[in-house]
């Protein structure tokens, strides 16, 4: 699959939860995270997709420095993080920026540190706990499974439209 475009909603290091609102045509502030953790990477979605939860397919992009809401990043998929949020499938595609030399040799999850994988997993395990929301982390999956998930999300959007 050729390079994809990720739409950034939340920059790395933020506790602000922003979401793109298609009705408003802009990014809106959703809430400040109840927990004292920050997003471990830029967070948003893969453009032109529809996830199983009815929203665009979530994406986590490992960046050297945080970007800002509204930026589009050409990304390369390296893996998938599977989870269930409030009983719904809420997978996150793990990506790296195509144009960042610090991530040039990263092709799969095996190419990133265990520490970074632990930070990502830990963040999604606990970030909604203070709100009383139930999240079930199912762990990381291969690049191949991630690419299949992206292809299915692109097809889902086509089928809907």
């Amino acid at each position: 699959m050729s390079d994809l475009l990720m739409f950034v909603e939340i920059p790395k290091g933020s506790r602000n939860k922003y979401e793109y609102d298609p009705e408003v045509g802009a990014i809106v502030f959703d809430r400040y995270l109840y927990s004292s953790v920050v997003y471990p990477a830029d967070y948003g979605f893969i453009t032109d997709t529809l996830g199983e939860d009815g929203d665009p397919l979530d994406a986590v992009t490992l960046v050297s420095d945080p970007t800002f809401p509204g930026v589009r990043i050409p990304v390369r998929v390296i893996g998938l993080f599977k989870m269930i949020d409030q009983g719904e499938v809420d997978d996150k595609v793990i990506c790296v920026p195509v144009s960042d030399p610090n991530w040039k040799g990263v092709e799969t999850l095996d190419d990133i540190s265990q520490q970074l994988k632990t930070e990502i997993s830990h963040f999604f395990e606990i970030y909604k706990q203070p709100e009383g929301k139930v999240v079930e982390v199912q762990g990381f999956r291969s690049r191949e499974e991630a690419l299949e998930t992206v292809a299915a999300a692109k097809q889902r959007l086509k089928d809907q439209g």
Side-chain angles (χ1 to χ4, degrees):
M1 181 175 288
S2 62
D3 295 334
L4 300 169
L5 207 54
M6 184 251 202
F7 183 103
V8 177
E9 292 175 303
I10 306 161
K12 172 183 175 179
S14 181
R15 284 180 65 185
N16 288 341
K17 173 79 165 79
Y18 305 105
E19 289 190 356
Y20 179 76
D21 185 333
E23 289 181 23
V24 176
I27 296 168
V28 296
F29 177 77
D30 181 57
R31 67 184 180 280
Y32 189 70
L33 292 184
Y34 286 61
S35 53
S36 61
V37 295
V38 298
Y39 280 83
D42 276 11
Y43 183 83
F45 58 86
I46 301 294
T47 59
D48 302 320
T49 62
L50 185 62
E52 291 184 54
D53 61 0
D55 294 327
L57 185 60
D58 292 338
V60 174
T61 297
L62 311 177
V63 291
S64 297
D65 290 316
T67 62
F68 55 89
V71 167
R72 276 76 163 183
I73 303 174
V75 295
R76 180 173 55 256
V77 173
I78 65 165
L80 185 69
F81 186 75
K82 293 194 67 67
M83 61 183 274
I84 306 291
D85 187 351
Q86 299 287 98
E88 290 187 332
V89 172
D90 195 19
D91 295 339
K92 280 93 172 71
V93 179
I94 309 296
C95 306
V96 295
V98 172
S99 299
D100 185 334
N102 290 322
W103 300 99
K104 185 176 182 170
V106 176
E107 298 291 334
T108 70
L109 291 169
D110 291 336
D111 297 326
I112 64 172
S113 72
Q114 183 58 49
Q115 176 61 32
L116 183 52
K117 288 185 269 194
T118 299
E119 286 179 33
I120 293 167
S121 182
H122 184 253
F123 173 81
F124 287 111
E125 283 174 25
I126 67 165
Y127 81 123
K128 289 189 176 182
Q129 282 178 354
E131 297 175 68
K133 295 182 179 177
V134 178
V135 175
E136 176 192 334
V137 166
Q138 298 177 324
F140 290 97
R141 301 292 191 276
S142 71
R143 178 178 189 272
E144 292 72 27
E145 189 170 338
L147 291 172
E148 290 169 7
T149 300
V150 170
K154 285 186 169 291
Q155 187 61 50
R156 192 176 297 112
L157 182 65
K158 284 181 187 174
D159 293 346
Q160 181 195 36

